[in-house]
Amino acid sequence: MAPKNLNFGVEHVLTYRFTDTNNVEAQDGFTALMQALYRVGLATEVRNGDNCCLLVFVKVGSEKRFAHEVYRSRVKDWLHGVRAAEPARETQNTLAGESLTEAERLRIIHHLITSPREDGGAGIIPKEGQWKNVESIFPLHNHTFNKDWIKKWSTMTFLKVEDLDQIRDRFGEKVAYYFAFTQSYFAFLVFPATFGFASWVILGSFSPIYALVNGLWCVTFVEYWQRQEVDLGVRWGVKGVSSIQQKRREFKHEKEVRDPVTGETVQIFPATKRLSRQLLQVPFACLAVLALGTLIATCFGIEIFLSEVYNGPGQSLLVFLPTGLLTTLVPTLTTMLTSVATRLNDYENWETYENYESALTQKIFVLNFITSYLPIFLTAFVYVPFGSLIVPYLDIFSLTAKPFAQNEKQLQTPNTGFVINPSRLKKQVIYFTVTAQIVNFALETIMPYVKRQGFSKYQQMKSERAAKKGGAGSGVTIDDVPEEAEFLRRVRKEAELDVYDVATDLREMVVQFGYLSLFSVIWPLTPVSFIVNNWVELRSDAVKICVEMQRPTPQRADTIGPWLDSLQFLTWLGSITTAALAYLFSNDGMGPDGTPATIQGWALLLTIFFSEHTYLIVRWAVRLAVSKIDSPGMEKERAERFTVRKRYLQDALGHDFLDVPPAHHEERITRELLEEDARQSTLRTSGPQDHFWSRQKSWEESARVGAKLIEKMAPKESKKAQ
C-alpha cells in the first residue's frame, strides 16, 4: 500500500504547460499523456495549475503491474550481483518478503513514467519531443516527516547511522551518500580542529609538524571514506549498483554488431573515435586556464596596485573594485565555460547517463579548481617570491585610479624599495575559509527565501489588482474543492521550486576539503572554521531540501562518484603545496620577501620530492591497515553470501547432505556367508580390482583389520609400554 500522509496518496506530480501551444495541439498532447500513464498501470487526477498549466497527480493504479515492476527490478539487481539472493518467483511474494521503502516505491514509479516504451515504461521525458509541454515530474514532500526531521537534527551534534537510514528511505541512496559523506567529514574534523588550534597557539603558521599531521589526516580520511562507501552500500543493499547503467536517449551509435557471448545485437560507437573527441579536453582546459586565469590574475594585479602602490584619494573605496569585478565577471565566465563543457560532453557521445555525468563532473571540477584556488596560488607562489620583480610593471593598472589621482606621483610604482605585505596570504586564506563560507551560506539559504517571499508577494499584489479591475484575480483557485484547497496550494508552490542537485552540495564539500588539504598550513585554524560551518551546513541542507527545493526523485548510488577521485587528487596535490609552503615560509613565516634569489631551488625540489613520496608510502600503509580492519558491512556481506551458499547446497543435495552415513550392522563371518560370496563371484566377471575391494565389507571391518596390523607391526618398546 502507498504510504499515507497529507498528500491524498499522490506519489508524483506532472506539470503540463501549454502557454505556447494552440488548443488542438495541447489537447491532443494531453490525451496522449493520459494514455501513456494508463498503459503502465498508473492512475491519474487532473487539477488546474497557474498560467496555462495543468497539474497531473499520479499514483499506482494497478498493484499487480507495480508488483511485477518491483520483481523485474529486483531480478535485475540479482543478475548484476547487487542482491545476494534470488527474489521470490511469485511477484506478490516479492513484496511480502521484503517491504518497499518510500524511496524505492517513488523510484520505481518514476522509472515507469520515464523509461522507454521498449523497457515497459511510458517514455515521458520532460521538454523533449512529443512531451515538450511536460514541464516537470516530481514527487511531493512529506511535510510531517520534514518537520520531524528538521526538529530532530537541530538538537543533535553527531548523526547516527540510523539517521542516515531515514534519509535513504525517504530520498534515496544518492542524497543519503551526500549526508553520510558530510557527516563523516564533520566527525573527522574534530581531530584537525583540536590539533590546529593547538598548533596556532604553540607552533604558529607554516609549521612542518602541522603540515605532516594534516597530510596524514587527509590520507586517512579519504581511505576511511572509501571503506565507508562499501559498508553503506552493503547496509543499504546497493553495493555494485553502479554496474547497472541506463542508456542515454541521446546516444548515437555508428554500427550494430552481434555480441559473440549473448548473441544480442549491440549498438557500438568506436572507442578510438570517442578518445579522439576526448582529446578536445586539453584545449578546453587551456582555454579555461587562460580565460579564468587572465581575469583572476588581472584583478589580482589591480588589487595589489590599489592597495599597496596607489596612495591617492579614494583608496579605501577603490580597493573593492577588484572584488566587484571578480564577483561580476567570474560567475558569467564560468557559466559560459560550463556551457562549453556541456557541449563538449555531448559531443563525446557517452552511451550511459552514469558515464556522461562522470565526464561532465571532471570538466566542472577543472573550472572549480581554477576559480577557488588560483588566487591563493598566485599570492603564495607569485606575489611572495617575485613581488619585487613584478610590482614595477603594475603601473599598467594606473588607469583604474587615474580619475581619482591628484598627481602622477600617486600612480607611479616604485622601482626599488618595495616591501611586500607578508600578511596578505594569511588574510586571503581567512577570507576563503571563513568569509566566503558565510557569504555562500547566505546566498544558498537566505537569498532563495527572500526571493520566494518576494515572488509570492508580487503574485498576491498582481492578483489583488486584477480583482479590483473586475477580473478573476484568484482564477487559479476558483474551482478548488474546499477540502483540497490547502493541498493544491502547497502543490502549486512546490511546482515553482527549483530542482535539487546533490552534485552542487558535494562540489562545495570537495572544494572546502581542498582548502584544508592545500592551504591550511598557512592558517591552522582552518579546520576550526570548517567544523563550525559543516555543522550548520548539514542542517541548512536539510532545510533547503525540505523548504527551498522540490523533493528530489530518489536515485540509487554506491559511491559519491568522480568526486572521490577529486578528493584523492587534492590530497596528493596537498602533499606538494604544503611542503613547498612550509619550506618557503620557514623563516618565521616571512617568506622570500619578494626576492627569488633567497630561494634555493634544489632544496625546494628535494622537499617536494620527499613529501610526495612520503604521501605515497603513507597512503599504501593506511590503505593496507584499513583493509585489515573488519567492519559491520563486511560481516553482513559474508553472512549473506554464506546463507545463500548454504541454501543452494541444501536445495541441491537435501537438508541431510552433511550427515554421516549410518553404520552397517556387524555380521559374523560364517561358512554359509563365505560360500554365498563365492557363488556370487562366479555369476559375474571379476578382476583384481573387484577382489581388492571385496576383502573388507564395511568401515568397521577396515578399522578392526587396521588395529590388528598396528598391534602386529608396532615396535617392541611400544608393546612394553602397553
Side-chain angles (χ1 to χ4, degrees), residues 29 53 59 125 136 182 189 193 212 236 258 322 385 419 449 484 497 511 559 602 613 654 721:
C53 176
K59 73 169 187 175
I125 302 298
S136 62
T182 307
L189 277 172
L212 181 63
W236 294 336
R258 185 172 296 277
V419 179
Y449 174 79
E484 300 176 359
L497 298 177
V511 169
T559 175
W602 65 269
H613 283 72

Side-chain angles (χ1 to χ4, degrees), residues 142-160:
N142 184 333
H143 291 273
T144 302
F145 169 78
N146 290 353
K147 290 178 181 178
D148 294 339
W149 180 29
I150 295 173
K151 183 178 179 180
K152 180 181 179 181
W153 277 32
S154 63
T155 60
M156 299 173 62
T157 302
F158 295 97
L159 305 182
K160 300 177 182 178

Side-chain angles (χ1 to χ4, degrees), residues 677 684 688-697 701:
D677 287 344
R684 64 179 185 272
Q689 179 175 330
D690 299 308
H691 297 157
F692 177 83
W693 287 104
S694 64
R695 300 186 190 282
Q696 298 160 17
K697 300 298 184 182
E701 188 175 350

Side-chain angles (χ1 to χ4, degrees), residues 433-444:
T433 57
V434 179
T435 310
Q437 301 289 323
I438 297 174
V439 171
N440 182 67
F441 171 78
L443 293 174
E444 188 179 82

Side-chain angles (χ1 to χ4, degrees), residues 152-153 155-161 163 183-190 531 535 538-539:
K152 180 181 179 181
W153 277 32
T155 60
M156 299 173 62
T157 302
F158 295 97
L159 305 182
K160 300 177 182 178
V161 68
D163 299 315
Q183 166 60 26
S184 298
Y185 179 39
F186 169 74
F188 254 74
L189 277 172
V190 172
I531 196 172
W535 187 92
L538 276 168
R539 279 80 190 162

Side-chain angles (χ1 to χ4, degrees), residues 206 300 303-309 315 319 376 378-388 391 394 414 417-429 522 585 588-595:
F206 306 103
F300 178 75
E303 198 270 335
I304 292 177
F305 175 82
L306 293 176
S307 62
E308 300 186 25
V309 176
Q315 184 193 31
V319 291
I376 302 179
L378 288 174
T379 301
F381 299 109
V382 177
Y383 169 74
V384 174
F386 304 101
S388 61
V391 168
L394 293 181
F418 175 77
V419 179
I420 68 167
N421 181 6
S423 64
R424 168 182 290 275
L425 182 59
K426 185 181 297 185
K427 290 179 179 178
Q428 205 167 17
V429 171
I522 300 171
F585 292 85
D588 297 327
M590 298 302 295
D593 198 23
T595 307

Side-chain angles (χ1 to χ4, degrees), residues 171-184:
F171 301 108
E173 289 80 8
K174 197 166 188 177
V175 173
Y177 262 106
Y178 162 70
F179 280 98
F181 171 76
T182 307
Q183 166 60 26
S184 298

Side-chain angles (χ1 to χ4, degrees), residues 232-252:
L232 290 174
V234 174
R235 181 181 181 88
W236 294 336
V238 291
K239 182 185 176 185
V241 76
S242 56
S243 63
I244 306 177
Q245 298 188 346
Q246 186 179 0
K247 196 168 184 178
R248 293 176 64 233
R249 293 172 177 267
E250 298 82 2
F251 172 70
K252 299 177 182 178

